[in-house]
PDB file of all heavy atoms in Angstrom:
ATOM      1  N   ALA A1176      50.920  -8.631  -8.418  1.00 98.00           N
ATOM      2  CA  ALA A1176      52.199  -8.846  -7.735  1.00 98.00           C
ATOM      3  C   ALA A1176      53.222  -7.748  -8.050  1.00 98.00           C
ATOM      4  O   ALA A1176      53.162  -7.101  -9.093  1.00 98.00           O
ATOM      5  CB  ALA A1176      52.753 -10.214  -8.143  1.00 98.00           C
ATOM      6  N   PRO A1177      54.209  -7.571  -7.147  1.00 98.00           N
ATOM      7  CA  PRO A1177      55.298  -6.618  -7.365  1.00 98.00           C
ATOM      8  C   PRO A1177      56.469  -7.303  -8.062  1.00 98.00           C
ATOM      9  O   PRO A1177      56.432  -8.512  -8.312  1.00 98.00           O
ATOM     10  CB  PRO A1177      55.691  -6.242  -5.947  1.00 98.00           C
ATOM     11  CG  PRO A1177      55.509  -7.523  -5.188  1.00 98.00           C
ATOM     12  CD  PRO A1177      54.350  -8.242  -5.839  1.00 98.00           C
ATOM     13  N   PHE A1178      57.537  -6.540  -8.310  1.00 98.00           N
ATOM     14  CA  PHE A1178      58.671  -7.103  -9.055  1.00 98.00           C
ATOM     15  C   PHE A1178      59.657  -7.867  -8.174  1.00 98.00           C
ATOM     16  O   PHE A1178      60.478  -8.626  -8.680  1.00 98.00           O
ATOM     17  CB  PHE A1178      59.413  -5.981  -9.811  1.00 98.00           C
ATOM     18  CG  PHE A1178      60.344  -5.172  -8.943  1.00 98.00           C
ATOM     19  CD1 PHE A1178      61.632  -5.617  -8.676  1.00 98.00           C
ATOM     20  CD2 PHE A1178      59.922  -3.980  -8.372  1.00 98.00           C
ATOM     21  CE1 PHE A1178      62.489  -4.881  -7.861  1.00 98.00           C
ATOM     22  CE2 PHE A1178      60.757  -3.240  -7.553  1.00 98.00           C
ATOM     23  CZ  PHE A1178      62.050  -3.693  -7.297  1.00 98.00           C
ATOM     24  N   ASN A1179      59.623  -7.646  -6.840  1.00 98.00           N
ATOM     25  CA  ASN A1179      60.809  -8.037  -6.074  1.00 98.00           C
ATOM     26  C   ASN A1179      60.901  -9.514  -5.711  1.00 98.00           C
ATOM     27  O   ASN A1179      61.987  -9.978  -5.375  1.00 98.00           O
ATOM     28  CB  ASN A1179      60.977  -7.141  -4.835  1.00 98.00           C
ATOM     29  CG  ASN A1179      59.838  -7.253  -3.866  1.00 98.00           C
ATOM     30  OD1 ASN A1179      58.705  -7.527  -4.260  1.00 98.00           O
ATOM     31  ND2 ASN A1179      60.119  -7.057  -2.599  1.00 98.00           N
ATOM     32  N   LYS A1202      47.946 -11.322 -12.148  1.00 98.00           N
ATOM     33  CA  LYS A1202      48.721 -10.374 -12.966  1.00 98.00           C
ATOM     34  C   LYS A1202      50.095 -10.229 -12.326  1.00 98.00           C
ATOM     35  O   LYS A1202      50.253  -9.569 -11.297  1.00 98.00           O
ATOM     36  CB  LYS A1202      48.050  -8.991 -13.036  1.00 98.00           C
ATOM     37  CG  LYS A1202      48.743  -8.136 -14.106  1.00 98.00           C
ATOM     38  CD  LYS A1202      48.640  -6.654 -13.871  1.00 98.00           C
ATOM     39  CE  LYS A1202      49.691  -6.109 -12.960  1.00 98.00           C
ATOM     40  NZ  LYS A1202      51.070  -6.161 -13.451  1.00 98.00           N
ATOM     41  N   GLU A1205      54.964  -6.608 -14.619  1.00 98.00           N
ATOM     42  CA  GLU A1205      55.402  -6.559 -16.025  1.00 98.00           C
ATOM     43  C   GLU A1205      56.939  -6.546 -16.116  1.00 98.00           C
ATOM     44  O   GLU A1205      57.500  -6.798 -17.175  1.00 98.00           O
ATOM     45  CB  GLU A1205      54.806  -5.332 -16.735  1.00 98.00           C
ATOM     46  CG  GLU A1205      55.248  -3.966 -16.210  1.00 98.00           C
ATOM     47  CD  GLU A1205      54.422  -3.483 -15.011  1.00 98.00           C
ATOM     48  OE1 GLU A1205      53.908  -4.308 -14.234  1.00 98.00           O
ATOM     49  OE2 GLU A1205      54.302  -2.244 -14.846  1.00 98.00           O
ATOM     50  N   ARG A1206      57.612  -6.261 -14.971  1.00 98.00           N
ATOM     51  CA  ARG A1206      59.078  -6.216 -15.006  1.00 98.00           C
ATOM     52  C   ARG A1206      59.693  -7.611 -14.863  1.00 98.00           C
ATOM     53  O   ARG A1206      60.836  -7.818 -15.226  1.00 98.00           O
ATOM     54  CB  ARG A1206      59.583  -5.293 -13.893  1.00 98.00           C
ATOM     55  CG  ARG A1206      59.188  -3.839 -14.169  1.00 98.00           C
ATOM     56  CD  ARG A1206      59.906  -2.909 -13.257  1.00 98.00           C
ATOM     57  NE  ARG A1206      59.041  -2.446 -12.181  1.00 98.00           N
ATOM     58  CZ  ARG A1206      59.408  -1.589 -11.258  1.00 98.00           C
ATOM     59  NH1 ARG A1206      60.635  -1.106 -11.270  1.00 98.00           N
ATOM     60  NH2 ARG A1206      58.576  -1.205 -10.331  1.00 98.00           N
ATOM     61  N   LYS A1235      48.632  -0.823 -15.297  1.00 98.00           N
ATOM     62  CA  LYS A1235      47.490  -0.159 -14.655  1.00 98.00           C
ATOM     63  C   LYS A1235      46.133  -0.568 -15.253  1.00 98.00           C
ATOM     64  O   LYS A1235      45.176  -0.790 -14.518  1.00 98.00           O
ATOM     65  CB  LYS A1235      47.692   1.359 -14.742  1.00 98.00           C
ATOM     66  CG  LYS A1235      46.572   2.151 -14.066  1.00 98.00           C
ATOM     67  CD  LYS A1235      46.883   3.615 -13.998  1.00 98.00           C
ATOM     68  CE  LYS A1235      45.692   4.436 -13.519  1.00 98.00           C
ATOM     69  NZ  LYS A1235      45.079   3.965 -12.268  1.00 98.00           N
ATOM     70  N   PHE A1252      46.742  -7.840  -3.342  1.00 98.00           N
ATOM     71  CA  PHE A1252      47.725  -6.960  -3.977  1.00 98.00           C
ATOM     72  C   PHE A1252      48.969  -6.887  -3.110  1.00 98.00           C
ATOM     73  O   PHE A1252      48.879  -6.792  -1.882  1.00 98.00           O
ATOM     74  CB  PHE A1252      47.147  -5.544  -4.162  1.00 98.00           C
ATOM     75  CG  PHE A1252      48.176  -4.554  -4.627  1.00 98.00           C
ATOM     76  CD1 PHE A1252      48.409  -4.366  -5.983  1.00 98.00           C
ATOM     77  CD2 PHE A1252      48.947  -3.823  -3.712  1.00 98.00           C
ATOM     78  CE1 PHE A1252      49.390  -3.478  -6.427  1.00 98.00           C
ATOM     79  CE2 PHE A1252      49.923  -2.928  -4.145  1.00 98.00           C
ATOM     80  CZ  PHE A1252      50.143  -2.761  -5.500  1.00 98.00           C
ATOM     81  N   VAL A1253      50.138  -6.824  -3.759  1.00 98.00           N
ATOM     82  CA  VAL A1253      51.394  -6.497  -3.066  1.00 98.00           C
ATOM     83  C   VAL A1253      52.156  -5.517  -3.946  1.00 98.00           C
ATOM     84  O   VAL A1253      52.342  -5.760  -5.151  1.00 98.00           O
ATOM     85  CB  VAL A1253      52.254  -7.750  -2.815  1.00 98.00           C
ATOM     86  CG1 VAL A1253      53.523  -7.377  -2.049  1.00 98.00           C
ATOM     87  CG2 VAL A1253      51.477  -8.804  -2.038  1.00 98.00           C
ATOM     88  N   GLY A1254      52.603  -4.420  -3.361  1.00 98.00           N
ATOM     89  CA  GLY A1254      53.363  -3.430  -4.122  1.00 98.00           C
ATOM     90  C   GLY A1254      53.581  -2.183  -3.290  1.00 98.00           C
ATOM     91  O   GLY A1254      53.566  -2.240  -2.049  1.00 98.00           O
ATOM     92  N   SER A1255      53.774  -1.058  -3.932  1.00 98.00           N
ATOM     93  CA  SER A1255      54.078   0.181  -3.217  1.00 98.00           C
ATOM     94  C   SER A1255      52.817   0.740  -2.549  1.00 98.00           C
ATOM     95  O   SER A1255      51.693   0.438  -2.967  1.00 98.00           O
ATOM     96  CB  SER A1255      54.648   1.200  -4.202  1.00 98.00           C
ATOM     97  OG  SER A1255      53.692   1.454  -5.207  1.00 98.00           O
ATOM     98  N   GLY A1277      51.475  -2.980   1.276  1.00 98.00           N
ATOM     99  CA  GLY A1277      52.176  -1.838   0.693  1.00 98.00           C
ATOM    100  C   GLY A1277      53.647  -1.778   1.067  1.00 98.00           C
ATOM    101  O   GLY A1277      54.264  -2.785   1.432  1.00 98.00           O
ATOM    102  N   GLY A1278      54.206  -0.582   0.970  1.00 98.00           N
ATOM    103  CA  GLY A1278      55.630  -0.358   1.181  1.00 98.00           C
ATOM    104  C   GLY A1278      56.014  -0.363   2.654  1.00 98.00           C
ATOM    105  O   GLY A1278      55.189  -0.615   3.538  1.00 98.00           O
ATOM    106  N   CYS A1310      60.508  -6.004   1.177  1.00 97.00           N
ATOM    107  CA  CYS A1310      59.639  -5.194   2.034  1.00 97.00           C
ATOM    108  C   CYS A1310      60.007  -5.381   3.498  1.00 97.00           C
ATOM    109  O   CYS A1310      59.591  -4.588   4.331  1.00 97.00           O
ATOM    110  CB  CYS A1310      58.184  -5.548   1.810  1.00 97.00           C
ATOM    111  SG  CYS A1310      57.792  -7.205   2.376  1.00 97.00           S
ATOM    112  N   GLU A1409      60.800   5.053   1.907  1.00 98.00           N
ATOM    113  CA  GLU A1409      61.320   3.715   1.587  1.00 98.00           C
ATOM    114  C   GLU A1409      62.441   3.874   0.560  1.00 98.00           C
ATOM    115  O   GLU A1409      62.261   4.540  -0.461  1.00 98.00           O
ATOM    116  CB  GLU A1409      60.190   2.859   1.003  1.00 98.00           C
ATOM    117  CG  GLU A1409      60.628   1.454   0.669  1.00 98.00           C
ATOM    118  CD  GLU A1409      59.466   0.551   0.248  1.00 98.00           C
ATOM    119  OE1 GLU A1409      58.586   1.018  -0.499  1.00 98.00           O
ATOM    120  OE2 GLU A1409      59.454  -0.619   0.660  1.00 98.00           O
ATOM    121  N   PHE A1476      50.988 -13.125   7.006  1.00 98.00           N
ATOM    122  CA  PHE A1476      51.982 -12.123   6.619  1.00 98.00           C
ATOM    123  C   PHE A1476      51.272 -10.808   6.335  1.00 98.00           C
ATOM    124  O   PHE A1476      50.298 -10.759   5.596  1.00 98.00           O
ATOM    125  CB  PHE A1476      52.680 -12.607   5.336  1.00 98.00           C
ATOM    126  CG  PHE A1476      53.934 -11.859   4.981  1.00 98.00           C
ATOM    127  CD1 PHE A1476      55.179 -12.478   5.056  1.00 98.00           C
ATOM    128  CD2 PHE A1476      53.882 -10.532   4.551  1.00 98.00           C
ATOM    129  CE1 PHE A1476      56.339 -11.796   4.721  1.00 98.00           C
ATOM    130  CE2 PHE A1476      55.036  -9.848   4.218  1.00 98.00           C
ATOM    131  CZ  PHE A1476      56.266 -10.480   4.297  1.00 98.00           C
TER     132      PHE A1476
HETATM  133  P1  NAD B1192      54.413  -1.157  -7.697  1.00 71.15           P
HETATM  134  O1  NAD B1192      53.400  -0.600  -6.751  1.00 71.15           O
HETATM  135  O2  NAD B1192      55.079  -0.242  -8.650  1.00 71.15           O
HETATM  136  O3  NAD B1192      53.754  -2.312  -8.601  1.00 71.15           O
HETATM  137  C1  NAD B1192      52.999  -3.366  -8.017  1.00 71.15           C
HETATM  138  C2  NAD B1192      51.954  -3.831  -9.026  1.00 71.15           C
HETATM  139  O4  NAD B1192      51.050  -2.752  -9.284  1.00 71.15           O
HETATM  140  C3  NAD B1192      52.550  -4.253 -10.367  1.00 71.15           C
HETATM  141  O5  NAD B1192      51.912  -5.428 -10.783  1.00 71.15           O
HETATM  142  C4  NAD B1192      52.255  -3.067 -11.284  1.00 71.15           C
HETATM  143  O6  NAD B1192      52.009  -3.471 -12.608  1.00 71.15           O
HETATM  144  C5  NAD B1192      51.003  -2.456 -10.684  1.00 71.15           C
HETATM  145  N1  NAD B1192      50.942  -0.993 -10.816  1.00 71.15           N
HETATM  146  C6  NAD B1192      51.998  -0.133 -10.835  1.00 71.15           C
HETATM  147  N2  NAD B1192      51.547   1.147 -10.932  1.00 71.15           N
HETATM  148  C7  NAD B1192      50.200   1.078 -10.956  1.00 71.15           C
HETATM  149  C8  NAD B1192      49.169   2.063 -11.020  1.00 71.15           C
HETATM  150  N3  NAD B1192      49.445   3.365 -11.085  1.00 71.15           N
HETATM  151  N4  NAD B1192      47.879   1.648 -11.012  1.00 71.15           N
HETATM  152  C9  NAD B1192      47.571   0.334 -10.939  1.00 71.15           C
HETATM  153  N5  NAD B1192      48.517  -0.644 -10.879  1.00 71.15           N
HETATM  154  C10 NAD B1192      49.805  -0.284 -10.867  1.00 71.15           C
HETATM  155  O7  NAD B1192      55.482  -1.937  -6.784  1.00 71.15           O
HETATM  156  P2  NAD B1192      56.858  -2.599  -7.241  1.00 71.15           P
HETATM  157  O8  NAD B1192      57.840  -1.500  -7.528  1.00 71.15           O
HETATM  158  O9  NAD B1192      56.632  -3.642  -8.262  1.00 71.15           O
HETATM  159  O10 NAD B1192      57.277  -3.347  -5.897  1.00 71.15           O
HETATM  160  C11 NAD B1192      57.998  -2.736  -4.853  1.00 71.15           C
HETATM  161  C12 NAD B1192      57.094  -2.288  -3.739  1.00 71.15           C
HETATM  162  O11 NAD B1192      56.366  -3.416  -3.242  1.00 71.15           O
HETATM  163  C13 NAD B1192      57.847  -1.747  -2.537  1.00 71.15           C
HETATM  164  O12 NAD B1192      57.182  -0.607  -2.067  1.00 71.15           O
HETATM  165  C14 NAD B1192      57.782  -2.882  -1.521  1.00 71.15           C
HETATM  166  O13 NAD B1192      57.880  -2.484  -0.174  1.00 71.15           O
HETATM  167  C15 NAD B1192      56.441  -3.444  -1.817  1.00 71.15           C
HETATM  168  N6  NAD B1192      56.326  -4.801  -1.332  1.00 71.15           N
HETATM  169  C16 NAD B1192      55.598  -4.999  -0.200  1.00 71.15           C
HETATM  170  C17 NAD B1192      55.497  -6.263   0.347  1.00 71.15           C
HETATM  171  C18 NAD B1192      54.722  -6.476   1.612  1.00 71.15           C
HETATM  172  O14 NAD B1192      54.588  -7.613   2.031  1.00 71.15           O
HETATM  173  N7  NAD B1192      54.202  -5.435   2.239  1.00 71.15           N
HETATM  174  C19 NAD B1192      56.142  -7.348  -0.274  1.00 71.15           C
HETATM  175  C20 NAD B1192      56.865  -7.117  -1.442  1.00 71.15           C
HETATM  176  C21 NAD B1192      56.950  -5.826  -1.963  1.00 71.15           C
END
Side-chain angles (χ1 to χ4, degrees):
F1178 79 84
N1179 62 331
K1202 191 206 85 66
E1205 64 275 29
R1206 293 192 257 182
K1235 182 172 171 52
F1252 172 89
V1253 182
S1255 60
C1310 68
E1409 181 173 41
F1476 193 111

